[in-house]
Amino acid sequence: MNGKTMGLWTAAILAMLVGWVGAVTIEVDDRGGVTVHDPGGRVTLVRDTASADPSGHTAQPETRAARIDVEPAVGADAGFTAWPLHPAARRIHVANAGDDRHNGLTPQTPVRTLRRGLGLLRNGFGDQLLLRAGDTFQGGLGDWRWSGRDAQHPAVLGVYGDGDRPRIVTHGEGFLIVSHRRRVDYVAFQGLHVFPARRMSWHPAFDPDDLPYREAGVWWMGRGRHITLEDCKIQGYQNNLVFQNNEIGGIADLTIRRCIVADSYTHRDGKIGGHSTGLFTMGVDGVRVEESVFDHNGWAPAEVGIAGASRTMFNHNLYLEQTSRNLTVSNNVITRGASFGLQLRPGGEATGNLFARNALGMYFAWHPSRVVGNVVAESVDHGDRPDERRGYGIIAWPCEDGLVAENLILHKRGNAGWAGAIEVADFHGWKADVAEPRLTIRDNTIVDWPVPGEPDAIVVRHGDTEVRASGNVLDAASGGAAEPAFVRPGFTLDDAAGGSFEAWLERARSRPRGTWPGELTAAAINAELLDAYRATAD
């Protein structure tokens, strides 16, 4: 390589790196050896050599001397995952302005259709299929069958370029399926906006009299492990996310992180539409849901004009079924669910979440559980009929060893006078073997949660559970002996949101891809409320 060629190559690479933080230098020695110095770890040099397939086969070399791959930097500084590209893997770029005759290997040569992009993926390599930011793609992905290489190098469906989430618009077929006969491991979906055109009231294809019921966003029935959804917005399906396997552990290590999962709905008559949820898991061992927004799942408001899509006791924001295991739900905004914000049926951990304006905040059961540091606010009714009265906070079914501690439960809005802020109840609908149920309830604060006919808002209805209660603070409206001296008594959810919680929630739902505004998190609202309802110094 002569000096002129080397200079042109270096200039071209530097041009690709405009806007990136940190200097990248490339050295070429007299024998053509190339050394890349990149303090940020953003550049990978892939040489023109045959690559080994994880199955033992040999892949054909690509028809160019080398390529420089730059990691997508969107959101890295905000704490989003930057998935590294394995040297044997490749990125496929898809854009509305692309051409399916292209190879898709660079942002300058994208293919045009999802179908063509999927056709270029290789199973087991850790290839990445990247959609151009801001573009719109029609049609779901069908049967997803591409595994990654390992947990560090998953198969990625993500984004390239600047701008907001690319939109994938489905028309009755759903976003993707993993069939029950298939196994798919090491997969990450990042930075996408997925919705069904025919079910969105604002879309020209919407017809309330011809809705595609039973259309799901993700319907994962097969086996798999290490599955991640990050920074995705999935909304409007009957069931937005379903991970269901008949064998416990058939699906393992599922992470839902910083996603927006909203607006699922179905017909009130289950014979017509079936049930609806934001996230349903069955047989999954290892579920981590963190820093996400689950809002308005299980129903549609009357003004949308969908007959029968009103709230019902069977539809929830998160329904983690009893055959799931090792569940952690932390620091999420879980709001306006048709019924429960969270059904943590097999038990697990729920920490730092904001449950607001659900009919019932959450419940847990069976295995050892920790419900710590959450805020439950303004639980409401299902509807106007007497049998639709609700307004529950945290419900504990029989549990081997449960802890409900340091939670704030305030401002009951439902009209079920019997509904407790913390309620120790018997099983309903299913049973589990809990020989000696035990529950510790300590250091919780309960405000404006009247339960007429009970001593206070901590209601024990299951006499066989050993309950140890200490350090709980209840105001007079909740049955406390005296009015506590709070820092800001009367402080509301709207106050914590700066005026309107509904407006705050809309901003949180509209968070742009790759951004993480601290003021739009559960941690921000919870901190305001917890500070308002701490005791003043004597």
Side-chain angles (χ1 to χ4, degrees):
M1 181 183 293
N2 60 38
K4 181 178 179 180
T5 304
M6 175 182 171
L8 291 173
W9 186 32
T10 303
I13 293 169
L14 291 175
M16 290 171 58
L17 296 171
V18 171
W20 291 71
V21 178
V24 178
T25 60
I26 300 170
E27 297 177 0
V28 183
D29 61 29
D30 293 336
R31 293 176 294 177
V34 179
T35 302
V36 178
H37 301 277
D38 176 24
R42 297 160 296 186
V43 174
T44 302
L45 178 64
V46 181
R47 301 182 183 279
D48 184 23
T49 56
S51 301
D53 183 311
S55 66
H57 298 91
T58 300
Q60 293 299 314
E62 297 179 13
T63 57
R64 62 199 187 291
R67 79 174 183 272
I68 300 296
D69 280 302
V70 181
E71 296 288 68
V74 173
D77 292 340
F80 293 91
T81 306
W83 300 105
L85 188 72
H86 191 275
R90 62 191 180 193
R91 292 196 178 95
I92 307 300
H93 302 79
V94 188
N96 292 161
D99 189 326
D100 280 353
R101 293 171 295 181
H102 290 164
N103 61 20
L105 295 173
T106 71
Q108 292 75 35
T109 58
V111 300
R112 184 178 62 84
T113 63
L114 287 173
R115 181 178 179 179
R116 175 59 176 156
L118 291 167
L120 294 171
L121 288 179
R122 301 167 298 173
N123 187 38
F125 275 85
D127 288 347
Q128 300 182 4
L129 182 63
L130 305 182
L131 313 185
R132 182 173 176 81
D135 281 2
T136 298
F137 302 89
Q138 301 295 329
L141 305 184
D143 195 358
W144 181 273
R145 58 184 184 274
W146 297 274
S147 291
R149 177 176 291 266
D150 52 40
Q152 290 72 43
H153 304 94
V156 175
L157 178 62
V159 189
Y160 77 98
D162 297 327
D164 210 353
R165 297 176 184 87
R167 306 198 304 176
I168 299 177
V169 185
T170 65
H171 300 270
E173 72 278 19
F175 171 42
L176 70 86
I177 299 170
V178 175
S179 63
H180 68 280
R181 297 179 180 179
R182 191 178 298 282
R183 179 179 189 110
V184 178
D185 299 324
Y186 313 123
V187 182
F189 304 96
Q190 187 179 53
L192 310 171
H193 182 190
V194 183
F195 63 88
R198 293 171 58 194
R199 293 175 55 88
M200 307 303 289
S201 61
W202 49 265
H203 197 280
F206 174 74
D207 182 353
D209 298 321
D210 185 26
L211 290 171
Y213 287 112
R214 306 187 189 280
E215 183 180 9
V218 173
W219 193 281
W220 194 298
M221 304 288 287
R223 297 171 62 83
R225 57 178 175 161
H226 292 289
I227 305 157
T228 299
L229 284 84
E230 183 181 80
D231 200 19
C232 291
K233 184 172 185 177
I234 300 177
Q235 65 178 139
Y237 292 93
Q238 176 171 328
N239 294 289
N240 282 323
L241 299 172
V242 175
F243 294 87
Q244 178 176 337
N245 195 271
N246 292 328
E247 178 185 349
I248 296 176
I251 302 172
D253 302 316
L254 169 66
T255 298
I256 313 293
R257 182 172 185 266
R258 293 189 176 182
C259 289
I260 300 162
V261 182
D263 304 330
S264 69
Y265 68 88
T266 187
H267 198 281
R268 185 181 181 90
D269 185 344
K271 295 179 181 179
I272 297 175
H275 299 325
S276 173
T277 188
L279 169 65
F280 177 81
T281 68
M282 173 180 169
V284 185
D285 187 356
V287 179
R288 185 177 66 163
V289 183
E290 63 177 24
E291 295 187 327
S292 294
V293 174
F294 282 81
D295 178 53
H296 214 294
N297 287 294
W299 65 294
E303 56 267 25
V304 174
I306 303 169
S310 56
R311 276 178 145 146
T312 167
M313 63 182 291
F314 300 107
N315 301 332
H316 316 288
N317 267 319
L318 294 95
Y319 182 172
L320 310 185
E321 193 257 4
Q322 56 265 27
T323 59
S324 295
R325 295 290 184 271
N326 300 309
L327 312 180
T328 301
V329 181
S330 59
N331 304 312
N332 301 282
V333 174
I334 302 174
T335 51
R336 301 189 298 183
S339 184
F340 276 97
L342 168 64
Q343 287 201 359
L344 196 65
R345 285 194 168 216
E349 293 200 4
T351 58
N353 301 288
L354 170 63
F355 298 96
R357 298 179 183 171
N358 304 287
L360 307 93
M362 68 161 289
Y363 81 72
F364 65 96
W366 197 1
H367 293 122
S369 300
R370 294 178 68 253
V371 179
V372 177
N374 305 281
V375 171
V376 183
E378 300 184 8
S379 294
V380 299
D381 291 328
H382 281 319
D384 297 330
R385 300 200 314 252
D387 64 340
E388 295 176 323
R389 294 173 182 171
R390 295 295 187 271
Y392 288 83
I394 297 170
I395 301 175
W397 285 2
C399 178
E400 292 173 1
D401 190 9
L403 173 64
V404 179
E406 301 172 15
N407 302 285
L408 172 62
I409 307 170
L410 74 162
H411 299 153
K412 177 180 177 179
R413 293 294 176 261
N415 290 299
W418 58 88
I422 299 174
E423 187 159 318
V424 184
D426 199 356
F427 282 110
H428 176 73
W430 67 281
K431 298 286 185 181
D433 184 14
V434 183
E436 298 180 357
R438 295 182 300 274
L439 181 65
T440 298
I441 304 173
R442 63 165 177 82
D443 302 322
N444 301 281
T445 300
I446 302 174
V447 178
D448 186 25
W449 208 279
V451 187
E454 298 290 342
D456 56 47
I458 300 176
V459 181
V460 179
R461 304 193 190 279
H462 187 250
D464 292 337
T465 295
E466 178 188 348
V467 178
R468 301 174 181 176
S470 64
N472 300 293
V473 176
L474 289 76
D475 72 348
S478 308
E483 197 66 46
F486 293 128
V487 171
R488 285 177 285 178
F491 196 73
T492 68
L493 191 60
D494 285 332
D495 294 332
S500 167
F501 181 69
E502 297 283 332
W504 180 93
L505 194 54
E506 185 57 37
R507 293 195 300 273
R509 287 169 47 115
S510 303
R511 173 180 58 80
R513 176 180 69 98
T515 64
W516 192 244
E519 69 276 10
L520 298 179
T521 63
I525 293 286
N526 286 3
E528 289 283 337
L529 290 166
L530 289 166
D531 181 70
Y533 288 100
R534 62 182 172 83
T536 58
D538 294 335

